[in-house]
Amino acid sequence: MRLTPIFLLSATDVSHFPSPAKTYDAPEIAFLGRSNVGKSSLINALLGSKQAHTSSTPGRTRAINFFALHEGQPGRLKPRPALIFADLPGYGYAKISKQISQEWSKFIEPYLRERSNLALCLALVDVNVPTQESDRQMIAYLRETDRNFVVVATKSDKLSGNQLHKAIQTLREAYPEAKIVPYSAKSGKGRDELWREIRQSAEPRAIEA
Ligand code: GTP
Ligand code: MG
């Protein structure tokens, strides 16, 4: 099924987040990770478009950018989005870490704590770099807040088969209970599996007895 992405807004404050009424309470997928890890590139690869701005300069995305994904033919899109994608600012880049930590407490943390329609967090980690303290904190926070999340091991194209195997093993040891998906925006590896995860998370939840 084809989804047409429509850019909704760029939020730099909690008060800017699109209200559930505006998005018909559609399930939302958040893209989280350090600056330059490949969040915007992943969004573009999933959508097959250039909606999200990518850059080789770390820290380019400085707001939460919301995109609504609509089913239907061009010009006749269904009003209720099938999904919302939220591209979050990166954390943990040394040069701007102070600014980023302000943003973290100002609105990323409230976003993760309070966003009621958040169905899945894709927590991106660069599979080429050793486990980072900021990533550990991020993933610990997702656990604490009981968020549904998948760890996406990005830029896997930079490693050979054997190197990648070892790097994924290291990630499994660092995050033992997490689902880990090797991914490359260059080759498309992992894309279908991530779409499966996204679809599954967006299905109506079974009512708990
Ligand atoms: P911020 O918005 O700054 O937090 O960064 P981001 O996480 O959105 O990263 P972005 O998608 O802008 O990508 C950063 C750089 O990494 C760009 O130069 C991309 O081309 C490159 N990149 C992203 N994904 C991959 C990948 O899977 N493989 C390789 N080799 N490069 C990638
Ligand atoms: Mg970005």
Side-chain angles (χ1 to χ4, degrees), residues 10 16 18 32 37 42 111 120 130 162 171 174 200 203 207-208:
S10 226
H16 302 156
L32 298 152
V37 70
L42 171 57
Y111 171 84
L120 177 67
N162 197 31
L171 281 178
Q200 216 170 39
E203 280 166 11
I207 297 165
E208 286 176 30

Side-chain angles (χ1 to χ4, degrees), residues 173-194:
E173 283 159 22
Y175 311 117
E177 284 141 54
K179 173 150 205 166
I180 298 170
V181 178
Y183 176 75
S184 165
K186 275 208 169 149
S187 71
K189 179 192 177 88
R191 183 181 180 272
D192 292 349
E193 189 172 352
L194 290 176

Side-chain angles (χ1 to χ4, degrees), residues 39-40 53 61 87:
K39 299 175 290 298
S40 302
H53 296 293
T61 311
D87 186 8

Side-chain angles (χ1 to χ4, degrees), residues 34-41 54-61 90 155 157-158 184-186:
R34 297 171 71 234
S35 292
N36 211 42
V37 70
K39 299 175 290 298
S40 302
S41 300
T54 61
S55 168
S56 53
T57 313
R60 183 46 55 100
T61 311
K155 307 194 184 184
D157 53 274
K158 289 186 172 181
S184 165
K186 275 208 169 149

